[in-house]
Each structure stands twice: as C-alpha cells, then as structure tokens.
Amino acid sequence: MQASKIARAWFGATALVVIAGLAAQIPVSAGTEGGTFQTPAGRVANLLAFFTIDSNILVGIGGLLLALGVAGRSTLFGVLRLTGLVGITVTGVVFQVALADLYELHGWAVFADTMLHKVSPLMCVAGWLLFGPRGQLSWRVLSWSLLYPLGWLAVTLVRGAFIGFYPYPFVDPGINGYGGVAFNCVLIGVLFTGLAAAAVGFDRTFSRRDDTDDYLAPDPAEGVERIRDAGTY
C-alpha cells in the first residue's frame, strides 16, 4: 500500500510538471511576435505542431490517470503509456543533441523549457522504471505506438508544404533538402522503434502474468476471464 501511494504521488508530480510547463509555454508563445503566425491564438494553436508538446501531453494524461487510479489495464492505456514514454525520451535525447543550443531563452521561456525538455523526460522515465505499471506492453502495443511518430511526421511535412512552417530544422526541406529530411526521419524512427522495443523487452522480462499494481483500476475483461476460469457464469 505504501508503494502504491508513492507511485501515485510520483505520477501525479509528473503530470503537474507537464501542466506547469505548458502553463508557462502558452503565454510565452502567445506573446512571441513575428514568424508565420500573426495572432496570439494562432501561435498558441501551433504549439500542437511540436513533438515536444504532444509527447508531454501524452505523458501528462498518462500520469494523471495513474495518479487517480483510473488508468485500467487495457491495450489502449498500454499504447498511451508506451507512446508517451518513448516520445518523451526521444524528445529529451533529440533536444540535448540537436536543439539545445539553437535558441537563447529568457524568463518564463527558460522555466517552460526546463519543465518540458528536462524534468518531464527524467521523471517519466524514472517513474516507469521504478513503478511501471508492468505487464501492459507487448509487440502489438508497440506496433500501435508507431502510429504516433508516423502520423506526426506525415502531418508536419504535408502542413509544412502548404504553409511553409516546420517546427524543427531537421524536418525542414528548405534547410536540409528532402533527402536530408528523410535521413533525419529514418534516424529518429530507428531511435523511437529501438527504445520502444527495449521498453517492451524490459517489461516482459521483469513482470509476471500474476503481478498486479494496486494503483491500476481493474480491467472488466479480466474479471470476466476469472469468472469463466472458475466455472461460474
């Protein structure tokens, strides 16, 4: 029970980090004039074009559901958990390797950057390693999780071709050419898939079928299976 309380507190704190980072980033983006988007509303809406923001939102939702004890053990939540975990890990790695020195930030932008690019990835990965939940990942879950980076990439390239905006230099054909963009996307795709496969392998290695995490809401389908196994209908 004590471990459950600690786990929920950690997941809740992770969600709060995401909320704090987004709360700081929204007014910063709204007040940053110039560029492709001329209105505050347009600049705020454009935040959803950033892989960082999307990954943090997934992490925040997953952490909040776990903290409230309503996550369940469904495949859908497994996909959400794995997608957020790998997405935020890729965010942290790519930011530190390719993006950290591109911008000079001040004030609340520094706070938002720290929350969304550093604290959130560290807390999400540490929380998953320490508390799981275990037994929810599979190769099927991995295959569904790949829709996230593929969908983000497709929308980014098609949208960028129409409006001329690309959220990151490495996906901008005007900077790298389409060959360079393709190469960069393959590298990130390999990184995403490799991390997801490592997470699934870790989960399958360090979990047993009869393990339960008491901060997870039970899956109704599991209850039905237990009743059938007991011969009661």
Side-chain angles (χ1 to χ4, degrees), residues 54-79:
D54 299 334
S55 296
N56 270 282
I57 290 174
L58 293 175
V59 168
I61 292 173
L64 187 60
L65 293 175
L66 286 166
L68 295 174
V70 296
R73 303 187 66 87
S74 66
T75 298
L76 179 61
F77 181 74
V79 173

Side-chain angles (χ1 to χ4, degrees), residues 31-122:
T32 303
E33 298 180 355
T36 304
F37 304 93
Q38 302 301 313
T39 66
R43 291 190 288 270
V44 170
N46 188 57
L47 284 173
L48 294 175
F50 289 85
F51 194 85
T52 294
I53 300 298
D54 299 334
S55 296
N56 270 282
I57 290 174
L58 293 175
V59 168
I61 292 173
L64 187 60
L65 293 175
L66 286 166
L68 295 174
V70 296
R73 303 187 66 87
S74 66
T75 298
L76 179 61
F77 181 74
V79 173
L80 171 66
R81 186 68 169 148
L82 180 62
T83 304
L85 171 69
V86 179
I88 204 67
T89 304
V90 171
T91 292
V93 171
V94 172
F95 177 79
Q96 295 302 325
V97 171
L99 302 174
D101 298 327
L102 294 182
Y103 308 101
E104 185 176 350
L105 304 176
H106 304 280
W108 284 106
V110 176
F111 175 80
D113 173 75
T114 301
M115 293 295 104
L116 300 176
H117 286 115
K118 299 173 184 177
V119 181
S120 173
L122 288 173

Side-chain angles (χ1 to χ4, degrees), residues 101-183:
D101 298 327
L102 294 182
Y103 308 101
E104 185 176 350
L105 304 176
H106 304 280
W108 284 106
V110 176
F111 175 80
D113 173 75
T114 301
M115 293 295 104
L116 300 176
H117 286 115
K118 299 173 184 177
V119 181
S120 173
L122 288 173
M123 290 194 68
C124 180
V125 173
W128 181 76
L129 289 173
L130 291 170
F131 306 114
R134 298 281 171 258
Q136 287 199 299
L137 304 187
S138 65
W139 303 118
R140 179 168 176 259
V141 167
L142 186 154
S143 65
W144 281 109
S145 73
L146 295 179
L147 292 178
Y148 168 50
L150 292 174
W152 178 85
L153 178 61
V155 171
T156 296
L157 294 179
V158 172
R159 180 174 182 256
F162 279 99
I163 69 173
F165 173 83
Y166 298 89
Y168 304 108
F170 58 82
V171 291
D172 188 343
I175 297 175
N176 302 284
Y178 281 100
V181 169
F183 178 76

